[in-house]
Amino acid sequence: MRLGLTGGIGSGKSTVAAMLVERGALLVDTDAIARRLTGPGGAAMPALQTAFGPRVVAADGALARDAMRQLAFTDPDARRRLEAVLHPMIGSEARREAAAAQPGQCVVYDVPLLAESAHWRGRVDKVLVIDCEEDTQMARVARRPGWDEAMARRVLSQQASRTQRRAVADAVIFNDGLSLQALAGELAVLGAWWGLWNNPATG
């Protein structure tokens, strides 16, 4: 099973990804891949510096994330140029990581922008969307270090809407007001229904 996992910022998607890994899935985290590509000496940094200049390069040679975030979420052309550099490299690395899966092991592709990227839907067998109210997203994101409500609103405005994400879903978990135990229970039921646990890798 190739499972596409997505959800808006602050939805709890990363928590669900961790639960899937606990059940034996192989996680391909596209955000983590992007962070490696844009870290000090990262493979994407020469192309990003060429595209955007030294203003997006931190002192350690990594991507200056705050500067790039501000630029990408206020300038649509800058966002397109950023994606043109990163998306092919992320896709290539994701395929390499997925190839390490054991026979019968569920591969979970954690893709925040799955609904916005048409090619990802064709790469997976099922799409699971983690959903919650926008007010809940705002409250969760605003508590993160370096974030505030204004930045959270800008990010939300650039992401697919809840309706758009739900439209590409094979299943939705509404993660608003759920305890961790209840969330794990929802995931267990869905995993049994889809057969995610019925293989040697996931037990």
Side-chain angles (χ1 to χ4, degrees):
M1 172 73 76
R2 297 169 301 167
L3 177 63
L5 175 66
T6 194
I9 187 170
S11 64
K13 174 180 57 63
S14 296
T15 299
V16 170
M19 291 176 175
L20 287 162
V21 170
E22 288 176 0
R23 296 297 298 260
L26 173 69
L27 178 64
V28 177
D29 184 338
T30 59
D31 261 0
I33 292 171
R35 287 192 295 272
R36 290 198 301 273
L37 292 171
T38 57
M45 288 309 301
L48 291 174
Q49 183 164 359
T50 298
F52 298 102
R55 60 180 169 164
V56 301
V57 182
D60 63 357
L63 183 68
R65 300 187 189 286
D66 287 346
M68 191 72 252
R69 186 185 298 122
Q70 291 280 357
L71 184 61
F73 287 112
T74 56
D75 182 347
D77 180 64
R79 183 179 181 184
R80 284 190 291 270
R81 286 185 287 141
L82 174 66
E83 292 174 348
V85 171
L86 286 181
H87 284 187
M89 299 178 78
I90 291 170
S92 177
E93 182 63 13
R95 288 190 291 272
R96 187 191 68 79
E97 290 188 7
Q102 298 300 309
Q105 185 177 19
C106 175
V107 179
V108 177
Y109 293 90
D110 182 339
V111 186
L113 302 182
L114 187 149
E116 295 91 328
S117 180
H119 70 270
W120 270 109
R121 188 61 184 89
R123 292 183 181 182
V124 297
D125 302 305
K126 299 283 188 182
V127 172
L128 172 59
V129 170
I130 311 304
D131 186 38
C132 66
E133 298 287 353
E134 286 193 4
D135 287 347
T136 302
Q137 292 178 261
M138 293 288 300
R140 290 171 177 167
V141 174
R143 290 195 295 267
R144 296 179 180 179
W147 288 77
D148 57 25
E149 184 175 334
M151 176 60 73
R153 287 193 184 279
R154 282 198 293 272
V155 172
L156 279 173
S157 71
Q158 295 291 328
Q159 292 188 336
S161 68
R162 292 177 62 204
T163 300
Q164 289 170 320
R165 275 191 296 271
R166 292 169 75 102
V168 304
D170 294 293
V172 176
I173 293 179
F174 186 62
N175 182 32
D176 209 322
L178 291 181
S179 66
L180 288 176
Q181 183 177 7
L183 180 59
E186 295 261 358
L187 188 60
V189 170
L190 180 64
W193 179 35
W194 279 351
L196 299 184
W197 324 133
N198 299 334
N199 60 65
T202 56

